[in-house]
Amino acid sequence: IGTTLTLYLVLGLAFRALYYAIGRAAYYHLLYNGQSQSNLYPQIATATDWICLVVMCVLNGFAEEIAIRAYLITRFVQIFRSPLIAILLSSLIFAAYHVYQGIGGLINAAIVGLLFGSIFLLTRRRLWPLAISHCTVDLISFARMNHH
């Protein structure tokens, strides 16, 4: 493994830990209403289900980071000439398509959008750590929902 890839993996896992802390606070301590959200997703029962879940999480995590961070933030900075506006708008869009998760998911996604957007710009548009973090969070979230 090269030094750069190792750094990206470490940063991705560190961002994942931060993302988890934010999500846990939003769901369980601030806004979680005590109802399970596991009924939104099918149960994972077979090895094929798990393989499909991993593939889905990897593809989804990378796709969302490419669309929201790499594309939208870059374009919004060009259009509005303001990194702050770019981060705010991209965070609102990111949060909007997590509304199905309820108010906790919406707020969590908005906070994570602000955090990831800031990290994206501060790291000179390095997407790998964010994508790795996103994939990891999605996979662990689905696995935890299936376990409970």
Side-chain angles (χ1 to χ4, degrees):
I1 261 184
T3 306
T4 303
L5 182 56
T6 302
L7 176 64
Y8 288 162
L9 286 171
V10 169
L11 286 173
L13 292 174
F15 294 149
R16 185 262 174 254
L18 184 58
Y19 185 67
Y20 177 77
I22 291 169
R24 188 156 178 90
Y27 280 117
Y28 296 107
H29 299 295
L30 299 176
L31 301 167
Y32 189 58
N33 64 11
Q35 296 176 0
S36 174
Q37 301 234 343
S38 61
N39 60 344
L40 295 174
Y41 307 101
Q43 291 298 306
I44 303 163
T46 67
T48 303
D49 292 343
W50 281 103
I51 292 168
C52 290
L53 175 69
V54 169
V55 170
M56 180 194 73
C57 288
V58 168
L59 293 175
N60 181 65
F62 275 85
E64 285 186 14
E65 294 307 316
I66 288 168
I68 297 297
R69 258 52 86 183
Y71 182 76
L72 284 181
I73 288 178
T74 301
R75 295 301 162 252
F76 286 156
V77 167
Q78 291 173 343
I79 293 168
F80 299 108
R81 308 238 185 265
S82 169
L84 179 61
I85 291 174
I87 291 170
L88 290 172
L89 287 175
S90 67
S91 296
L92 287 173
I93 292 169
F94 183 68
Y97 65 82
H98 287 86
V99 73
Y100 70 93
Q101 295 175 354
I103 190 71
L106 183 75
I107 292 173
N108 182 52
I111 292 168
V112 169
L114 294 170
L115 177 68
F116 275 30
S118 299
I119 290 168
F120 177 71
L121 290 179
L122 290 172
T123 60
R124 296 189 184 108
R125 295 179 164 82
R126 285 190 172 81
L127 198 62
W128 280 98
L130 300 173
I132 290 167
S133 177
H134 195 140
C135 296
T136 306
V137 167
D138 286 354
L139 183 59
I140 290 171
S141 296
F142 281 117
R144 287 188 75 218
M145 278 189 269
N146 190 67
H147 186 268
H148 289 96

